[in-house]
Amino acid sequence: MKLTRLLFFITGIAILTFGAGLTLKANLGAGPWDALTAGQAKVTGFTVGSWVIIDGVVLLFVNAYLLRQKPQFLAAVTFVFIGTMIDFWLLKVMKDWHPIGLAYQAGTLLVGIIMLSVGVAMYLQSSYPANPIDNLMIALHKRFGVSLMVAKTLGEMTALVFAILLKGPIGIGTLVIAFTIGPTVQWCYHPTERFMMKVSSILR
């Protein structure tokens, strides 16, 4: 089972970062957090992946403060891997690729959302420490007593405001991602769970 969880963790992050790369390359607007890191990269010259890691460190301590707990340093494994993989896709695999035309861009965005959702569903199955962005929702929920939906919205809106200020890639795609990513992850979660059980039984 441990080997299966490790495989799902690695594969899930590889897939979700590929999806994030596609949503950025579609150039129709990325999700709030991806738009934020893209905006930070444009302003500073650091890579998107570097900012994923920097923001992860900041959120590690923000979440610890909100929950009044020690920082979950094991989560660094997750966001460092995510940052490394997003740079791999954007700077190596997709470096010279730019979808041209609205239909091509829309198709790229759609595939990106699906890949993001499958990747998130897979990596969550692994039970490895969650990305601090995901933990922020839990921290806001527990600290202020708001619903998970409100907590998630607060986190996304905060990232969106900073992304706008930094002139990150905000557009119609941002709204599409905001309204579809949750249901799509939910739709992928249980089939992914069943698939993990089958893989686990094979690897025993």
Side-chain angles (χ1 to χ4, degrees), residues 46-56 83-84 86-87:
F46 292 170
T47 66
V48 171
S50 296
W51 276 108
V52 167
I53 295 171
I54 293 168
D55 291 346
T84 302
I86 193 71
D87 275 352

Side-chain angles (χ1 to χ4, degrees), residues 6 35 41 74 105 174 193:
L6 178 61
L74 280 176
Q105 289 173 280
T174 306
E193 185 178 36

Side-chain angles (χ1 to χ4, degrees), residues 23 29-34 109 113 116-117 149 152-153 156-157 160 170-185:
T23 62
W33 288 101
D34 291 326
L109 179 67
I113 292 171
L116 260 172
S117 302
M149 182 183 296
K152 180 65 172 175
T153 302
E156 296 294 307
M157 290 303 295
L160 182 60
I170 302 296
I172 186 64
T174 306
L175 292 176
V176 173
I177 292 169
F179 284 106
T180 60
I181 192 69
T184 312
V185 169

Side-chain angles (χ1 to χ4, degrees), residues 8-116:
F8 268 62
F9 175 74
I10 294 172
T11 305
I13 286 182
I15 293 173
L16 80 87
T17 50
F18 177 67
L22 288 177
T23 62
L24 287 168
K25 281 291 186 175
N27 201 29
L28 291 174
W33 288 101
D34 291 326
L36 172 60
T37 53
Q40 290 170 317
K42 183 170 66 175
V43 169
T44 64
F46 292 170
T47 66
V48 171
S50 296
W51 276 108
V52 167
I53 295 171
I54 293 168
D55 291 346
V57 172
V58 172
L59 286 175
L60 204 65
F61 288 95
V62 169
N63 292 342
Y65 172 76
L66 290 172
L67 293 171
R68 294 172 179 153
Q69 298 175 351
K70 292 181 179 180
Q72 297 180 354
F73 290 112
L74 280 176
V77 174
T78 302
F79 65 72
V80 168
F81 190 26
I82 289 174
T84 302
M85 287 304 298
I86 193 71
D87 275 352
F88 169 73
W89 293 120
L90 289 175
L91 301 180
K92 300 292 184 182
V93 179
M94 305 180 193
K95 181 180 179 181
D96 300 316
W97 175 68
H98 305 281
I100 305 296
L102 184 58
Y104 196 9
Q105 289 173 280
T108 300
L109 179 67
L110 177 61
V111 174
I113 292 171
I114 293 171
M115 291 294 99
L116 260 172

